[in-house]
Coordinates of all heavy atoms in Angstrom, one line a residue:
M1 N 52.5 -0.6 -8.7 CA 53.9 -1.1 -8.7 C 54.9 0.0 -8.8 O 54.7 0.9 -9.6 CB 54.0 -2.1 -9.9 CG 55.5 -2.5 -10.2 SD 55.6 -3.5 -11.6 CE 56.3 -4.9 -10.9
A2 N 55.9 0.0 -8.1 CA 57.0 1.0 -8.1 C 57.8 0.9 -9.4 O 57.9 -0.2 -9.9 CB 57.9 0.9 -6.9
H3 N 58.2 2.0 -9.9 CA 59.1 1.9 -11.1 C 60.2 3.0 -10.9 O 60.1 3.9 -10.1 CB 58.4 2.1 -12.4 CG 57.6 3.4 -12.5 ND1 58.3 4.5 -12.9 CD2 56.4 3.7 -12.3 CE1 57.4 5.5 -12.9 NE2 56.2 5.1 -12.6
F4 N 61.2 2.9 -11.7 CA 62.2 3.9 -11.7 C 61.8 5.1 -12.4 O 61.1 5.1 -13.4 CB 63.5 3.4 -12.4 CG 64.3 2.4 -11.5 CD1 64.0 1.1 -11.5 CD2 65.2 2.9 -10.6 CE1 64.7 0.2 -10.6 CE2 65.9 2.1 -9.8 CZ 65.6 0.7 -9.8
S5 N 62.2 6.3 -11.9 CA 61.8 7.5 -12.5 C 62.7 7.8 -13.8 O 63.9 7.8 -13.7 CB 62.0 8.7 -11.5 OG 62.0 9.9 -12.1
G6 N 62.0 8.0 -14.9 CA 62.7 8.4 -16.1 C 63.4 9.7 -15.9 O 64.5 9.9 -16.5
L7 N 62.8 10.6 -15.2 CA 63.5 11.9 -15.0 C 64.7 11.8 -14.2 O 65.8 12.4 -14.5 CB 62.5 12.9 -14.3 CG 63.0 14.3 -14.0 CD1 63.5 15.0 -15.2 CD2 62.0 15.1 -13.2
E8 N 64.7 10.9 -13.2 CA 65.9 10.6 -12.4 C 67.0 10.0 -13.2 O 68.2 10.5 -13.1 CB 65.6 9.6 -11.2 CG 66.7 9.3 -10.3 CD 66.8 10.2 -9.1 OE1 65.8 10.8 -8.7 OE2 67.9 10.2 -8.5
L9 N 66.7 9.1 -14.1 CA 67.7 8.5 -15.0 C 68.2 9.6 -16.0 O 69.4 9.6 -16.3 CB 67.1 7.3 -15.7 CG 66.8 6.1 -14.8 CD1 66.0 5.0 -15.5 CD2 68.0 5.6 -14.1
K10 N 67.3 10.4 -16.5 CA 67.7 11.5 -17.4 C 68.7 12.4 -16.7 O 69.7 12.8 -17.2 CB 66.5 12.3 -17.8 CG 66.8 13.4 -18.7 CD 65.6 14.2 -19.2 CE 65.9 15.3 -20.1 NZ 64.6 15.9 -20.6
N11 N 68.4 12.8 -15.4 CA 69.3 13.7 -14.7 C 70.7 13.0 -14.5 O 71.7 13.7 -14.6 CB 68.7 14.1 -13.4 CG 67.5 15.0 -13.5 OD1 67.3 15.7 -14.6 ND2 66.6 15.0 -12.6
L12 N 70.7 11.7 -14.2 CA 72.0 11.0 -14.1 C 72.8 11.1 -15.3 O 74.0 11.4 -15.3 CB 71.7 9.6 -13.7 CG 71.5 9.2 -12.2 CD1 71.2 7.7 -12.1 CD2 72.6 9.6 -11.4
R13 N 72.1 10.8 -16.5 CA 72.8 10.9 -17.8 C 73.3 12.2 -18.1 O 74.5 12.4 -18.4 CB 71.8 10.5 -18.9 CG 72.4 10.6 -20.3 CD 71.4 10.4 -21.4 NE 70.3 11.3 -21.4 CZ 70.4 12.6 -21.8 NH1 71.5 13.1 -22.3 NH2 69.3 13.4 -21.9
K14 N 72.5 13.2 -17.8 CA 73.0 14.6 -18.2 C 74.1 15.0 -17.2 O 75.1 15.6 -17.7 CB 71.8 15.6 -18.1 CG 70.8 15.3 -19.2 CD 69.6 16.3 -19.1 CE 69.9 17.5 -19.9 NZ 68.8 18.4 -20.0
E15 N 74.0 14.7 -16.0 CA 75.0 15.1 -15.0 C 76.4 14.4 -15.4 O 77.4 15.0 -15.2 CB 74.6 14.8 -13.6 CG 75.6 15.3 -12.6 CD 75.2 15.1 -11.1 OE1 74.0 14.9 -10.8 OE2 76.1 15.1 -10.3
A16 N 76.3 13.2 -15.8 CA 77.5 12.4 -16.2 C 78.0 12.9 -17.5 O 79.2 12.5 -17.9 CB 77.1 10.9 -16.3
G17 N 77.3 13.8 -18.2 CA 77.8 14.3 -19.5 C 77.6 13.5 -20.7 O 78.3 13.7 -21.7
F18 N 76.7 12.6 -20.7 CA 76.4 11.7 -21.8 C 75.3 12.3 -22.7 O 74.3 12.7 -22.1 CB 76.0 10.3 -21.4 CG 77.1 9.5 -20.7 CD1 77.0 9.1 -19.4 CD2 78.3 9.2 -21.5 CE1 78.0 8.4 -18.8 CE2 79.3 8.5 -20.9 CZ 79.2 8.1 -19.5
T19 N 75.4 12.1 -24.0 CA 74.2 12.4 -24.8 C 73.4 11.1 -24.8 O 73.9 10.0 -24.3 CB 74.7 12.6 -26.3 OG1 75.3 11.4 -26.8 CG2 75.6 13.8 -26.4
Q20 N 72.2 11.2 -25.2 CA 71.3 10.0 -25.3 C 71.9 8.9 -26.2 O 71.9 7.7 -25.8 CB 69.9 10.4 -25.8 CG 69.1 11.2 -24.8 CD 67.9 11.8 -25.4 OE1 67.8 12.0 -26.6 NE2 66.9 12.0 -24.6
K21 N 72.5 9.3 -27.3 CA 73.1 8.4 -28.2 C 74.3 7.7 -27.6 O 74.4 6.4 -27.7 CB 73.5 9.1 -29.5 CG 74.1 8.2 -30.6 CD 74.4 9.0 -31.8 CE 75.0 8.1 -32.9 NZ 75.3 8.9 -34.1
V22 N 75.2 8.4 -26.9 CA 76.4 7.8 -26.4 C 76.0 6.8 -25.2 O 76.5 5.7 -25.2 CB 77.4 8.9 -25.9 CG1 78.4 8.3 -25.0 CG2 77.9 9.6 -27.0
L23 N 75.1 7.3 -24.4 CA 74.7 6.4 -23.3 C 74.0 5.1 -23.8 O 74.3 4.0 -23.4 CB 73.7 7.1 -22.3 CG 73.3 6.2 -21.1 CD1 74.4 5.8 -20.2 CD2 72.1 6.8 -20.4
A24 N 73.2 5.3 -24.8 CA 72.5 4.1 -25.4 C 73.5 3.1 -25.9 O 73.4 1.9 -25.7 CB 71.6 4.6 -26.5
S25 N 74.5 3.6 -26.6 CA 75.6 2.8 -27.2 C 76.3 2.1 -26.1 O 76.6 0.9 -26.2 CB 76.5 3.6 -28.0 OG 77.6 2.9 -28.5
Q26 N 76.6 2.8 -25.0 CA 77.4 2.2 -23.9 C 76.6 1.1 -23.2 O 77.2 0.1 -22.7 CB 77.8 3.3 -22.9 CG 79.0 4.1 -23.4 CD 79.6 4.9 -22.2 OE1 79.2 4.8 -21.1 NE2 80.7 5.6 -22.6
I27 N 75.3 1.2 -23.1 CA 74.5 0.2 -22.3 C 73.8 -0.8 -23.1 O 73.1 -1.6 -22.6 CB 73.6 0.9 -21.2 CG1 72.5 1.7 -21.9 CG2 74.4 1.8 -20.3 CD1 71.5 2.3 -20.9
G28 N 73.9 -0.6 -24.5 CA 73.4 -1.6 -25.4 C 71.9 -1.5 -25.7 O 71.2 -2.6 -25.9
I29 N 71.3 -0.3 -25.7 CA 69.9 -0.1 -26.0 C 69.9 1.0 -27.1 O 70.9 1.7 -27.3 CB 69.0 0.3 -24.8 CG1 69.5 1.6 -24.2 CG2 69.0 -0.9 -23.8 CD1 68.6 2.1 -23.0
S30 N 68.8 1.2 -27.7 CA 68.7 2.2 -28.8 C 68.5 3.6 -28.1 O 68.0 3.7 -27.0 CB 67.5 1.9 -29.7 OG 66.3 2.1 -29.0
R31 N 68.8 4.6 -28.9 CA 68.6 6.0 -28.5 C 67.1 6.2 -28.3 O 66.7 6.9 -27.3 CB 69.2 7.0 -29.5 CG 69.0 8.4 -29.0 CD 69.5 9.4 -30.0 NE 68.7 10.4 -30.6 CZ 67.4 10.7 -30.4 NH1 66.7 10.1 -29.6 NH2 66.8 11.7 -31.0
E32 N 66.3 5.6 -29.1 CA 64.9 5.8 -29.0 C 64.3 5.2 -27.6 O 63.4 5.7 -27.0 CB 64.1 5.1 -30.2 CG 64.4 5.8 -31.5 CD 65.7 5.5 -32.1 OE1 66.5 4.6 -31.7 OE2 66.1 6.2 -33.1
T33 N 65.0 4.1 -27.2 CA 64.6 3.6 -25.9 C 65.0 4.5 -24.8 O 64.2 4.7 -23.8 CB 65.2 2.2 -25.7 OG1 64.8 1.3 -26.8 CG2 64.8 1.6 -24.4
V34 N 66.2 5.1 -24.9 CA 66.6 6.1 -23.9 C 65.6 7.2 -23.8 O 65.1 7.6 -22.7 CB 68.0 6.6 -24.2 CG1 68.3 7.8 -23.2 CG2 69.0 5.5 -24.0
V35 N 65.1 7.7 -25.0 CA 64.2 8.8 -25.0 C 62.9 8.4 -24.4 O 62.3 9.1 -23.6 CB 63.9 9.2 -26.5 CG1 62.7 10.2 -26.6 CG2 65.1 9.9 -27.1
A36 N 62.4 7.2 -24.7 CA 61.1 6.6 -24.1 C 61.3 6.5 -22.6 O 60.3 6.8 -21.9 CB 60.8 5.3 -24.8
I37 N 62.4 6.0 -22.1 CA 62.6 5.9 -20.7 C 62.6 7.3 -20.0 O 61.9 7.5 -19.0 CB 63.9 5.2 -20.3 CG1 63.8 3.7 -20.8 CG2 64.3 5.3 -18.9 CD1 65.2 3.0 -20.8
E38 N 63.3 8.2 -20.6 CA 63.4 9.5 -20.0 C 62.1 10.3 -20.0 O 61.8 11.1 -19.1 CB 64.5 10.4 -20.7 CG 65.9 9.8 -20.4 CD 67.0 10.6 -21.0 OE1 66.8 11.5 -21.8 OE2 68.2 10.3 -20.6
N39 N 61.3 10.0 -21.0 CA 60.0 10.6 -21.1 C 58.9 9.8 -20.4 O 57.7 10.1 -20.5 CB 59.6 10.9 -22.6 CG 60.4 12.0 -23.2 OD1 60.8 12.9 -22.6 ND2 60.7 11.8 -24.5
E40 N 59.3 8.8 -19.7 CA 58.4 7.9 -19.0 C 57.2 7.4 -19.8 O 56.1 7.3 -19.3 CB 58.0 8.6 -17.7 CG 59.1 8.8 -16.7 CD 58.7 9.2 -15.3 OE1 57.6 9.7 -15.1 OE2 59.6 8.9 -14.4
H41 N 57.6 6.9 -21.0 CA 56.5 6.3 -21.8 C 56.0 5.1 -21.1 O 56.8 4.2 -20.7 CB 57.2 5.9 -23.2 CG 56.2 5.3 -24.1 ND1 55.9 4.0 -24.2 CD2 55.4 5.9 -25.1 CE1 55.0 3.8 -25.1 NE2 54.7 4.9 -25.7
P42 N 54.7 5.0 -20.8 CA 54.2 4.0 -19.9 C 54.7 2.6 -20.2 O 55.1 1.8 -19.4 CB 52.7 4.1 -20.0 CG 52.5 5.5 -20.4 CD 53.7 5.9 -21.3
K43 N 54.6 2.2 -21.5 CA 54.9 0.8 -21.9 C 56.4 0.5 -21.6 O 56.8 -0.5 -21.1 CB 54.6 0.6 -23.3 CG 54.8 -0.9 -23.8 CD 54.3 -1.0 -25.2 CE 54.5 -2.5 -25.7 NZ 54.1 -2.7 -27.0
T44 N 57.2 1.5 -21.9 CA 58.7 1.4 -21.8 C 59.1 1.4 -20.3 O 59.8 0.5 -19.9 CB 59.4 2.5 -22.5 OG1 59.0 2.4 -23.9 CG2 60.9 2.3 -22.4
I45 N 58.6 2.3 -19.6 CA 59.0 2.5 -18.2 C 58.5 1.3 -17.3 O 59.2 0.8 -16.4 CB 58.6 3.8 -17.6 CG1 59.4 4.2 -16.4 CG2 57.1 3.8 -17.2 CD1 60.8 4.7 -16.7
D46 N 57.3 0.7 -17.7 CA 56.8 -0.4 -17.0 C 57.5 -1.7 -17.2 O 57.6 -2.6 -16.4 CB 55.3 -0.6 -17.3 CG 54.4 0.4 -16.6 OD1 54.9 1.2 -15.7 OD2 53.3 0.6 -17.1
S47 N 58.2 -1.8 -18.4 CA 58.9 -3.0 -18.8 C 60.4 -2.8 -18.6 O 61.2 -3.7 -19.0 CB 58.6 -3.4 -20.2 OG 59.1 -2.4 -21.1
L48 N 60.8 -1.7 -18.0 CA 62.3 -1.4 -17.8 C 62.9 -2.5 -16.9 O 62.4 -2.8 -15.8 CB 62.4 0.0 -17.1 CG 63.8 0.5 -16.9 CD1 64.5 0.7 -18.3 CD2 63.7 1.9 -16.2
S49 N 63.9 -3.1 -17.4 CA 64.6 -4.2 -16.7 C 65.6 -3.6 -15.7 O 66.2 -2.6 -15.9 CB 65.2 -5.2 -17.6 OG 66.4 -4.6 -18.2
L50 N 65.9 -4.4 -14.7 CA 66.9 -4.0 -13.7 C 68.3 -4.0 -14.4 O 69.2 -3.3 -14.0 CB 66.9 -5.0 -12.5 CG 65.7 -4.8 -11.6 CD1 65.7 -5.8 -10.4 CD2 65.6 -3.3 -11.1
E51 N 68.5 -4.9 -15.4 CA 69.7 -4.9 -16.1 C 70.0 -3.6 -16.8 O 71.1 -3.1 -16.7 CB 69.8 -6.0 -17.1 CG 69.8 -7.4 -16.5 CD 68.4 -7.9 -16.1 OE1 67.4 -7.4 -16.5 OE2 68.4 -8.9 -15.3
V52 N 69.0 -3.0 -17.4 CA 69.2 -1.7 -18.0 C 69.4 -0.6 -17.0 O 70.3 0.2 -17.2 CB 67.9 -1.3 -18.9 CG1 68.0 0.1 -19.4 CG2 67.8 -2.2 -20.1
V53 N 68.7 -0.6 -15.9 CA 68.9 0.4 -14.8 C 70.3 0.2 -14.3 O 71.0 1.2 -14.0 CB 67.8 0.2 -13.7 CG1 68.1 1.1 -12.5 CG2 66.4 0.6 -14.3
N54 N 70.7 -1.0 -14.0 CA 72.1 -1.2 -13.5 C 73.1 -0.7 -14.5 O 74.1 -0.1 -14.1 CB 72.3 -2.7 -13.2 CG 73.6 -3.0 -12.5 OD1 73.9 -2.3 -11.5 ND2 74.4 -3.9 -13.0
A55 N 73.0 -1.0 -15.8 CA 73.9 -0.6 -16.8 C 74.0 0.9 -16.8 O 75.1 1.5 -16.9 CB 73.6 -1.2 -18.1
W56 N 72.8 1.6 -16.8 CA 72.7 3.0 -16.8 C 73.5 3.6 -15.6 O 74.3 4.5 -15.7 CB 71.2 3.4 -16.7 CG 70.8 4.8 -17.0 CD1 71.3 6.0 -16.5 CD2 69.9 5.2 -18.0 NE1 70.7 7.1 -17.0 CE2 69.8 6.6 -18.0 CE3 69.1 4.5 -18.9 CZ2 68.9 7.3 -18.8 CZ3 68.2 5.2 -19.7 CH2 68.2 6.6 -19.7
W57 N 73.3 3.0 -14.4 CA 73.9 3.4 -13.2 C 75.5 3.3 -13.3 O 76.2 4.1 -13.0 CB 73.4 2.7 -12.0 CG 74.2 2.9 -10.7 CD1 74.9 1.9 -10.1 CD2 74.3 4.1 -10.0 NE1 75.5 2.5 -8.9 CE2 75.1 3.8 -8.9 CE3 73.8 5.4 -10.1 CZ2 75.5 4.8 -7.9 CZ3 74.2 6.3 -9.2 CH2 75.0 6.0 -8.1
L58 N 75.9 2.1 -13.8 CA 77.3 1.8 -13.9 C 78.0 2.8 -14.8 O 79.1 3.2 -14.6 CB 77.6 0.4 -14.3 CG 77.2 -0.7 -13.3 CD1 77.3 -2.1 -13.9 CD2 78.0 -0.5 -12.0
A59 N 77.3 3.2 -15.9 CA 77.9 4.1 -16.9 C 78.0 5.5 -16.3 O 79.0 6.2 -16.6 CB 77.0 4.2 -18.1
C60 N 77.1 5.9 -15.4 CA 77.0 7.3 -14.9 C 77.6 7.5 -13.5 O 78.0 8.6 -13.2 CB 75.5 7.7 -14.9 SG 74.8 7.8 -16.5
R61 N 77.7 6.5 -12.7 CA 77.9 6.7 -11.3 C 79.2 7.4 -10.9 O 79.3 8.2 -10.0 CB 77.9 5.4 -10.5 CG 79.0 4.5 -10.8 CD 79.0 3.2 -10.0 NE 80.1 2.4 -10.5 CZ 80.3 1.2 -10.0 NH1 79.5 0.7 -9.1 NH2 81.4 0.6 -10.4
K62 N 80.3 7.2 -11.7 CA 81.6 7.8 -11.4 C 81.6 9.3 -11.7 O 82.5 10.0 -11.2 CB 82.7 7.1 -12.1 CG 82.9 5.7 -11.6 CD 84.0 5.0 -12.3 CE 84.2 3.6 -11.8 NZ 85.2 2.8 -12.6
S63 N 80.7 9.8 -12.5 CA 80.7 11.2 -12.9 C 79.6 12.0 -12.3 O 79.4 13.2 -12.7 CB 80.5 11.2 -14.5 OG 81.6 10.5 -15.1
V64 N 78.9 11.5 -11.3 CA 77.8 12.3 -10.7 C 78.1 12.6 -9.2 O 78.9 11.9 -8.6 CB 76.4 11.6 -10.8 CG1 76.0 11.4 -12.3 CG2 76.4 10.2 -10.1
S65 N 77.5 13.6 -8.7 CA 77.7 14.0 -7.4 C 77.2 13.0 -6.3 O 76.5 12.1 -6.6 CB 76.9 15.3 -7.1 OG 75.5 15.1 -7.1
E66 N 77.7 13.2 -5.1 CA 77.3 12.3 -4.0 C 75.8 12.4 -3.8 O 75.1 11.4 -3.5 CB 78.0 12.7 -2.7 CG 79.5 12.2 -2.8 CD 80.2 12.5 -1.4 OE1 79.5 12.4 -0.4 OE2 81.4 12.8 -1.5
S67 N 75.3 13.6 -4.0 CA 73.8 13.8 -3.8 C 73.0 13.0 -4.8 O 72.0 12.4 -4.5 CB 73.5 15.3 -4.0 OG 72.1 15.5 -4.0
S68 N 73.5 13.0 -6.1 CA 72.8 12.2 -7.1 C 73.0 10.7 -6.8 O 72.0 9.9 -7.1 CB 73.4 12.5 -8.5 OG 73.1 13.9 -8.8
Q69 N 74.1 10.3 -6.3 CA 74.3 8.9 -6.0 C 73.4 8.5 -4.9 O 72.7 7.4 -4.9 CB 75.8 8.7 -5.5 CG 76.8 8.8 -6.6 CD 78.2 8.6 -6.2 OE1 78.5 8.1 -5.1 NE2 79.1 9.1 -7.0
L70 N 73.2 9.3 -3.9 CA 72.3 9.0 -2.8 C 70.9 9.0 -3.3 O 70.1 8.1 -2.9 CB 72.4 10.1 -1.7 CG 71.5 9.9 -0.5 CD1 71.7 8.6 0.2 CD2 71.7 11.1 0.5
S71 N 70.5 9.9 -4.1 CA 69.1 9.9 -4.7 C 68.8 8.6 -5.4 O 67.7 8.1 -5.3 CB 68.9 11.1 -5.6 OG 67.7 11.2 -6.1
F72 N 69.8 8.2 -6.2 CA 69.6 6.9 -6.9 C 69.5 5.7 -6.0 O 68.6 4.9 -6.2 CB 70.8 6.7 -7.9 CG 70.6 5.4 -8.7 CD1 69.8 5.5 -9.9 CD2 71.2 4.3 -8.3 CE1 69.6 4.3 -10.6 CE2 71.0 3.1 -9.1 CZ 70.2 3.1 -10.2
K73 N 70.3 5.7 -5.0 CA 70.2 4.6 -4.0 C 68.9 4.6 -3.3 O 68.3 3.5 -3.0 CB 71.4 4.7 -3.0 CG 72.7 4.4 -3.6 CD 73.9 4.6 -2.7 CE 75.2 4.4 -3.5 NZ 76.3 4.7 -2.6
V74 N 68.3 5.8 -2.9 CA 67.0 5.9 -2.3 C 66.0 5.3 -3.3 O 65.1 4.6 -2.9 CB 66.7 7.3 -1.9 CG1 65.2 7.5 -1.6 CG2 67.6 7.7 -0.7
Q75 N 66.1 5.6 -4.5 CA 65.1 5.1 -5.5 C 65.2 3.6 -5.6 O 64.1 3.0 -5.7 CB 65.3 5.8 -6.9 CG 64.2 5.5 -7.8 CD 64.4 6.2 -9.1 OE1 64.9 5.6 -10.1 NE2 64.0 7.5 -9.2
V76 N 66.3 3.0 -5.6 CA 66.5 1.6 -5.6 C 65.8 1.0 -4.4 O 65.1 0.0 -4.5 CB 68.0 1.2 -5.7 CG1 68.2 -0.3 -5.5 CG2 68.6 1.6 -7.1
M77 N 66.1 1.6 -3.2 CA 65.5 1.1 -2.0 C 63.9 1.1 -2.0 O 63.3 0.2 -1.6 CB 66.0 1.8 -0.8 CG 67.5 1.5 -0.5 SD 68.2 2.5 0.7 CE 67.3 2.1 2.2
K78 N 63.4 2.2 -2.6 CA 61.9 2.3 -2.7 C 61.4 1.2 -3.7 O 60.4 0.6 -3.4 CB 61.5 3.7 -3.3 CG 61.6 4.8 -2.3 CD 61.1 6.1 -2.9 CE 61.3 7.2 -2.0 NZ 60.9 8.5 -2.6
F79 N 62.1 1.0 -4.8 CA 61.7 0.0 -5.7 C 61.6 -1.4 -5.1 O 60.7 -2.1 -5.4 CB 62.7 0.0 -6.9 CG 62.3 -1.0 -8.0 CD1 61.3 -0.7 -8.9 CD2 62.9 -2.3 -8.0 CE1 61.0 -1.6 -9.9 CE2 62.5 -3.2 -9.0 CZ 61.5 -2.8 -9.9
F80 N 62.5 -1.7 -4.2 CA 62.5 -3.0 -3.6 C 61.8 -3.0 -2.2 O 61.8 -4.0 -1.5 CB 64.0 -3.5 -3.3 CG 64.6 -3.9 -4.6 CD1 65.6 -3.2 -5.2 CD2 64.2 -5.1 -5.2 CE1 66.2 -3.6 -6.4 CE2 64.8 -5.5 -6.4 CZ 65.8 -4.8 -7.0
G81 N 61.1 -1.9 -1.9 CA 60.3 -1.8 -0.7 C 61.1 -1.8 0.6 O 60.7 -2.3 1.6
M82 N 62.3 -1.3 0.6 CA 63.2 -1.3 1.7 C 63.0 0.0 2.5 O 62.8 1.0 2.0 CB 64.6 -1.4 1.3 CG 64.8 -2.8 0.5 SD 66.4 -2.8 -0.3 CE 67.4 -3.7 0.9

């Protein structure tokens, strides 16, 4: 099963200038969950909801490069088998 890359999400967060704590607060999850996602903890990454990924994207998208935006869109397309 395809899943979102924790490293990709981490790179988005860092490029957007968010700390783990600030991003977690903005998208309504714990900082510990952000850490688990970014470190690709198997249980966390396998249960990652599209709502969390979407909230992460919405928080970061305006502050990241076009290259990062494209990379994220490619990852979404892979996830949905497009």
Side-chain angles (χ1 to χ4, degrees):
M1 171 183 239
H3 63 78
F4 282 89
S5 165
L7 180 59
E8 180 94 20
L9 293 172
K10 178 180 183 177
N11 290 339
L12 278 176
R13 174 188 61 78
K14 290 178 93 174
E15 186 178 338
F18 293 116
T19 64
Q20 292 171 332
K21 183 178 180 178
V22 168
L23 180 68
S25 175
Q26 283 196 358
I27 66 175
I29 61 176
S30 71
R31 183 185 122 358
E32 292 78 11
T33 301
V34 171
V35 170
I37 290 167
E38 292 183 352
N39 290 326
E40 295 194 334
H41 185 271
K43 186 176 179 180
T44 303
I45 204 77
D46 289 344
S47 65
L48 186 60
S49 72
L50 289 178
E51 289 82 14
V52 169
V53 172
N54 188 51
W56 197 302
W57 171 246
L58 291 174
C60 296
R61 71 179 177 179
K62 292 180 182 175
S63 302
V64 298
S65 68
E66 286 184 34
S67 174
S68 295
Q69 291 178 19
L70 178 60
S71 179
F72 182 83
K73 290 173 185 176
V74 167
Q75 191 173 98
V76 168
M77 290 173 62
K78 283 182 186 177
F79 182 81
F80 287 108
M82 301 168 98

